[in-house]
């Protein structure tokens, strides 16, 4: 008998298809699709966004790596500000993200 392997994935900031419309990125996209600008605070918060397909790849890799055990953080190693995310989404959609005064 081999011992049971415990693997606890701590998943951070996933985005992709089927996101809730109330979450940040889908909410921005909906607002920009309506031809409106998206109001933000300073947006200084730092987040590590990971696309859902990259999460699936990470889970597949971790499940196949029997030597990995315990707690594993799963996220993008690059941090970005909420403001930067808004600016990138706005740029891709030819719209604007504006800071609230």
């Amino acid at each position: 008998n081999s011992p049971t392997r415990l693997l606890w994935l701590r998943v951070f900031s996933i985005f992709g298809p089927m996101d809730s419309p109330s979450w940040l990125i889908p909410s921005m996209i909906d607002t920009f699709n309506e031809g409106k600008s998206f109001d933000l605070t300073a947006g200084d918060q730092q987040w590590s966004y990971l696309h859902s397909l990259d999460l699936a790849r990470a889970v597949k890799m971790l499940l196949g790596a029997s030597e990995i055990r315990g707690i594993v953080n799963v996220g993008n190693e690059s941090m970005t500000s909420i403001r930067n995310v808004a600016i990138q989404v706005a740029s891709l959609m030819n719209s604007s993200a504006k800071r609230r005064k």
Side-chain angles (χ1 to χ4, degrees):
N1 277 344
S2 63
T4 301
R5 175 173 77 129
L6 299 177
L7 191 60
W8 179 342
L9 305 185
R10 294 180 60 216
V11 179
F12 299 92
S13 308
I14 303 304
F15 72 97
M18 300 176 55
D19 273 350
S20 168
S22 64
W23 291 359
L24 180 66
I25 294 173
S27 179
M28 276 190 272
I29 291 170
D30 288 345
T31 300
F32 296 146
N33 277 337
E34 293 171 2
K36 300 176 183 174
S37 63
F38 194 85
D39 291 332
L40 292 171
T41 60
D44 294 330
Q45 305 92 332
Q46 295 288 309
W47 284 76
S48 164
Y49 282 100
L50 185 68
H51 193 273
S52 57
L53 289 175
D54 292 324
L55 170 63
R57 287 183 191 103
V59 169
K60 181 179 178 183
M61 185 277 304
L62 289 165
L63 290 175
S66 60
E67 71 281 3
I68 298 176
R69 300 175 176 277
I71 298 170
V72 178
N73 293 332
V74 180
N76 186 334
E77 62 187 49
S78 299
M79 301 291 287
T80 189
S81 70
I82 296 293
R83 179 131 190 89
N84 191 42
V85 170
I87 289 168
Q88 288 179 6
V89 171
S91 175
L92 290 169
M93 298 187 70
N94 296 318
S95 197
S96 67
K98 297 180 181 174
R99 182 175 177 185
R100 283 188 211 142
K101 304 239 186 246

